[in-house]
Amino acid sequence: MCYNLILFRTRLSRLRSPEQEGFSLKRTMLMPSAVRFFFLACLFLAAAPAAAEFQLPQNITRLPAPQLSASESLHFPVYPLILPNVEFWEKIYGVYSENQGVLHDRRDLRLIYGVIRLMPKDTFGAGKINEKLTEVARLHVKAMLNKFAEGGRPQTAEELRIHSLFQQKSPAAFLAAAENMRVQTGLKNRFRDGVIRSGAYMPTIKRILRTLDLPLELAYLPHVESSFNPKAHSKAGAVGLWQFTRYTGKEFMIVNELVDERYDLYVASEAAARFLKENHRQLGAWPLALTAYNHGRGGMLRAKAQWGSYPVIFANHSSQTFGFASRNFYPEFIAALRVARKLEADPALIKERPLISASLRLKGYAAAAELRQYFGVSEEEFRRLNPALMKPVLEGKKHIPIETVIHLPATHFVRERIRSMPQSLLRASQIADYVPPSPRPKPPPTKKATADSAKPQVYVVRKGDSALSVARKFGLTLDELRRANQMDRKAEMRIGQKLIIPPAKGGAASRPAKRKP
């Protein structure tokens, strides 16, 4: 029924918007959850942009970008080859919202087929509904491309528009494009929120970059990595503002079950700066160094050895690991730099105040609760200022390790307390791991118990028993059971019959054998 409804609606020349369907949505709230999900899926798929009705890409060839500084043009060149990709990501960061999916070609980002209106993520069943919406739109465009590949001529306005996107109008080009589509969700709102959050971190990051004599434009890289969300987590296990994986993080920071400095703004920012500096030292150019931040230094060294410069790598390099994300990482960075600077110039956008804290390197082990009490810091604020401290430390199961840098409010009171901090707050060793006590050994059997166990036992035959199963149950052979009960060769038994179970050869009565797992 749902499928037929979709087919019917895609034949209509005009589709109603979800707002026009509002009266139906109110009634669905009274339905059971499973029925409500099915109804919503049918309803929104019926209004999906599956035919010629999903939105056209906005008619923007490029966003107005700030004038490039001498440093930016020198260190971060925008090659003509990557300009379409830069402009694509400018639209993703600055034009399209999270409720819009851009259907485009995976390799040639100039080929934008349309923009799909997605359901908000907080809508019931939005994930599955949006999957169907994108799949229907993808199949619709694929049918047109296959039609062109078979020699069909464009007839509708939409077909003419998509046909005109291709400079090379060969069957091979259309067939390749039909299998090479991708949907990119817009990030406009998320990016703007990231620019607001960046106000808290930018001064510290730029100070670290100046200290290491690195281009200040690198401070904008977290826009691509985490949108300046210090709690960001990726599916690959990368965390924090700079999205270090556990493996790479251990090269530069402490990463264990007690302290994970990937979450620490100061330590992680310095680690990222040193990592980028080493990338640049080995690769010799910032486009290659930045791509290596995503793809890995080893992979980029191999690509450079094979192809040489960044533009040639961008145009020709292909491997199982150098895919869409790696190829577009440097264009994304340039786009993020442009869009962020444009937003920063907007007087209506108010960024967060810079994060300022007083830091203290511990010269011994310390209990988090005692430090909070001494410095007059609430548990909530202590956690916020010290995101690198893990649960066992915060809950008091372990001390904060020696040489850990903790962050405290930058008040006069706290600074005075740091200067006069007593040694009694520090410990010489860590809390030992809890080792459960070993079970007490069982006492040896008494003489009476040994004598009793040497007596034969009696077993009453039950339904389903056989002589062999009874023998195995008590660890006997079939012959031993037969001899003890004067049974014939067939060893026949009847329900209720009492069998004598002889004692084991060692003197103890036989016990039911434990089954192997």
Side-chain angles (χ1 to χ4, degrees), residues 362 364-368 371 382 389 393 398-402 404 406 430:
L362 298 176
Y365 297 91
L371 291 179
F382 190 79
L389 300 182
V393 169
K398 288 285 185 178
H399 290 325
I400 303 173
I402 189 172
T404 300
I406 63 167
Q430 180 61 274

Side-chain angles (χ1 to χ4, degrees), residues 273-465:
R274 293 188 181 280
F275 184 53
L276 286 164
K277 187 168 187 173
E278 183 60 21
N279 281 356
H280 185 263
R281 187 187 71 80
Q282 294 193 32
L283 291 160
W286 282 113
L288 294 174
L290 281 163
T291 305
Y293 194 89
N294 173 269
H295 182 61
R297 188 185 298 151
M300 288 310 296
L301 284 168
R302 290 189 293 272
K304 183 184 178 185
Q306 181 179 1
W307 300 105
S309 66
Y310 174 81
V312 183
I313 293 172
F314 179 86
N316 299 293
H317 189 53
S318 180
S319 70
Q320 288 185 337
T321 54
F322 192 82
F324 183 85
S326 295
R327 188 183 309 280
N328 279 275
F329 195 76
Y330 180 64
E332 281 189 68
F333 168 74
I334 297 296
L337 182 60
R338 290 180 170 186
V339 177
R341 284 181 167 175
K342 183 171 180 286
L343 287 170
E344 287 173 347
D346 181 0
L349 185 138
I350 301 175
K351 296 193 292 183
E352 291 183 8
R353 291 186 299 175
L355 182 64
I356 301 173
S357 65
S359 298
L360 168 66
R361 184 178 294 275
L362 298 176
K363 297 303 179 181
Y365 297 91
E370 292 178 4
L371 291 179
R372 290 200 310 268
Q373 183 178 7
Y374 175 75
F375 289 108
V377 181
S378 68
E379 182 177 353
E380 181 181 356
E381 178 135 10
F382 190 79
R383 285 174 181 265
R384 183 182 66 82
L385 291 172
N386 296 277
L389 300 182
M390 298 290 99
K391 197 173 180 180
V393 169
L394 294 171
E395 292 181 349
K397 295 176 182 177
K398 288 285 185 178
H399 290 325
I400 303 173
I402 189 172
E403 293 298 319
T404 300
V405 176
I406 63 167
H407 306 291
L408 302 161
T411 63
H412 177 73
F413 172 79
V414 167
R415 294 187 191 279
E416 287 296 320
R417 281 268 168 168
I418 290 175
R419 280 191 280 270
S420 58
M421 180 175 162
Q423 286 298 310
S424 60
L425 287 174
L426 302 177
R427 307 284 192 276
S429 60
Q430 180 61 274
I431 297 174
D433 292 330
Y434 173 74
V435 179
S438 57
R440 293 181 180 179
K442 293 182 179 180
T446 62
K447 291 183 178 180
K448 182 177 184 304
T450 304
D452 290 343
S453 65
K455 297 178 182 179
Q457 298 184 57
V458 176
Y459 176 77
V460 180
V461 177
R462 303 172 185 175
K463 184 177 181 180
D465 281 340

Side-chain angles (χ1 to χ4, degrees), residues 2 11 42 44 83 85 97 126 159 161 170 178 199 210 224 242 269 272 298 323 350 382 403-404 417 421 504:
C2 182
R11 289 181 172 85
C42 293
F44 287 110
L83 187 57
N85 295 61
S97 74
E159 288 179 346
R161 181 183 63 81
S170 65
R210 285 192 194 96
V224 179
W242 294 93
S269 295
I350 301 175
F382 190 79
E403 293 298 319
T404 300
R417 281 268 168 168
M421 180 175 162

Side-chain angles (χ1 to χ4, degrees), residues 49 56 142 168 189 192 220 243 250 291 329 441 487:
L56 301 181
K142 184 176 181 179
Q168 185 182 3
N189 300 335
R192 182 183 175 86
Y220 290 82
Q243 289 291 283
K250 284 185 174 181
T291 305
F329 195 76
M487 301 169 73

Side-chain angles (χ1 to χ4, degrees), residues 8-67:
F8 172 73
R9 292 302 299 239
T10 55
R11 289 181 172 85
L12 296 178
S13 60
R14 298 195 179 205
L15 300 176
R16 285 191 291 176
S17 67
E19 290 77 10
Q20 290 173 308
E21 303 285 0
F23 69 96
S24 300
L25 289 176
K26 292 177 183 177
R27 295 175 187 174
T28 63
M29 297 301 105
L30 302 177
M31 301 178 182
S33 60
V35 177
R36 185 166 68 246
F37 173 77
F38 178 77
F39 182 82
L40 282 169
C42 293
L43 175 62
F44 287 110
L45 284 177
E53 295 300 321
F54 68 91
Q55 299 168 344
L56 301 181
Q58 301 214 14
N59 188 23
I60 299 176
T61 56
R62 72 179 68 181
L63 290 176
Q67 291 294 318

Side-chain angles (χ1 to χ4, degrees), residues 99 119-127 130:
N99 295 333
M119 296 301 301
K121 289 183 179 180
D122 56 355
T123 303
F124 174 79
N130 288 337

